[in-house]
Amino acid sequence: MPYKAPEGKGYADVATHFRTLIKSGELAPGDTLPSVADIREQFGVAAKTVSRALAVLKSEGLVSSRGALGTVVEKNPIVITGADRLKRMEKNGMRYAPGETSSGHRVMTRSVHDPEICTALNLEPGDEAVIRIRVFRQDDKPTSVGVSVYPPHTVATVPELAEDARMVKQFDKLYSERTGREVVKGQRAAHARQASQDELNALEIDAPAHSAIAVMVTTVTFHDDEQALGYWEDVYAPGARVPMDE
């Protein structure tokens, strides 16, 4: 695999380069990183800089040393969903990382009463919206539940959102193609809350009835220059490692 890397960088830049390749799926579990000598040449850095970069990646669980094999990519412990998945698709067209799948796809039209969603999408409580739900899995183990909510004006432009089928293209690209308007991703926010029973079931968490299980949730709203277009929420299994960089 060819590696294009800017020269004269520090250890953090070297680590970021390979972390990005691993997160995007361009480097899959079992792949071998270039040798220390090759990385030195490609980045124009000292051997000590390369060693520090590899140590950072090892501390994050992304790679390990395998003797004669060199530095090998481990199974990625970072869960990539939601808006991060959009960035990955724009970069390399990969919807899923190696070993990743999804299940439990559901599409429904429902009245929305959640105050946060109503505020984000400028809906009145009881207004209808299209809701799409899917469970992301790594090596067949649930890692997160993705929920996306779309108001009527978005569905009118992208009617595929209301169809009970997987989207062949992301909604923001379809919306922009059909309206000529840019779709902008808002600030992603994260918070913890108690998981609902439906979320526990989707994540295959066997907990005693009425027990409180905390989960992390990230949310983001998409807009054009006139109105909100969609609200995404990702609910992560306990113990999931989620990148928060933008």
Side-chain angles (χ1 to χ4, degrees):
M1 168 184 291
Y3 291 85
K4 296 180 180 179
E7 296 183 354
K9 295 293 184 177
Y11 80 93
D13 301 287
V14 177
T16 297
H17 174 73
F18 289 108
R19 185 187 299 113
T20 299
L21 292 177
I22 294 169
K23 286 171 58 178
S24 69
E26 294 176 72
L27 278 174
D31 285 349
T32 303
L33 268 60
S35 68
V36 171
D38 286 342
I39 296 175
R40 286 187 60 193
E41 180 180 353
Q42 291 161 7
F43 281 87
V45 296
K48 182 178 180 180
T49 300
V50 177
S51 296
R52 291 184 68 186
L54 295 179
V56 169
L57 297 175
K58 290 173 185 176
S59 71
E60 296 173 354
L62 298 177
V63 302
S64 64
S65 296
R66 299 281 186 88
L69 291 177
T71 303
V72 177
V73 178
E74 291 291 334
K75 290 184 178 179
N76 194 345
I78 299 176
V79 179
I80 304 295
T81 57
D84 288 317
R85 188 177 300 275
L86 288 181
K87 291 191 293 185
R88 182 172 65 194
M89 290 184 66
E90 289 176 357
K91 180 177 177 61
N92 58 27
M94 294 179 64
R95 183 180 294 269
Y96 297 108
E100 186 183 37
T101 58
S102 60
S103 63
H105 293 252
R106 289 184 289 159
V107 181
M108 62 198 80
T109 300
R110 294 287 187 273
S111 298
V112 177
H113 295 276
D114 184 292
E116 183 174 349
I117 297 176
C118 288
T119 298
L121 297 179
N122 195 27
L123 297 174
E124 293 294 330
D127 284 352
E128 288 192 339
V130 168
I131 303 173
R132 299 178 66 90
I133 302 174
R134 58 279 195 202
V135 179
F136 293 103
R137 313 176 73 90
Q138 183 68 38
D139 299 324
D140 204 36
K141 180 181 179 180
T143 56
S144 64
V145 179
V147 180
S148 52
V149 185
Y150 302 97
H153 54 261
T154 304
V155 179
T157 301
V158 189
E160 294 94 331
L161 290 169
E163 298 174 1
D164 192 6
R166 296 190 186 188
M167 299 282 289
V168 297
K169 198 170 187 178
Q170 289 292 349
F171 95 95
D172 57 327
K173 301 301 182 186
L174 294 172
Y175 185 89
S176 292
E177 290 173 1
R178 294 168 185 177
T179 64
R181 298 174 183 168
E182 181 184 5
V183 177
V184 178
K185 175 177 69 69
Q187 175 64 51
R188 184 170 61 162
H191 65 278
R193 61 164 168 76
Q194 182 175 334
S196 69
Q197 188 59 52
D198 285 344
E199 290 164 346
L200 292 176
N201 293 341
L203 294 171
E204 299 177 8
I205 297 173
D206 186 12
H210 309 299
S211 59
I213 305 295
V215 289
M216 187 173 77
V217 181
T218 60
T219 61
V220 65
T221 304
F222 295 84
H223 307 259
D224 64 8
D225 57 357
E226 293 185 353
Q227 57 198 345
L229 302 175
Y231 174 93
W232 286 13
E233 177 179 277
D234 288 286
V235 182
Y236 300 90
R241 296 176 61 182
V242 184
M244 297 306 297
D245 54 306
E246 291 297 328

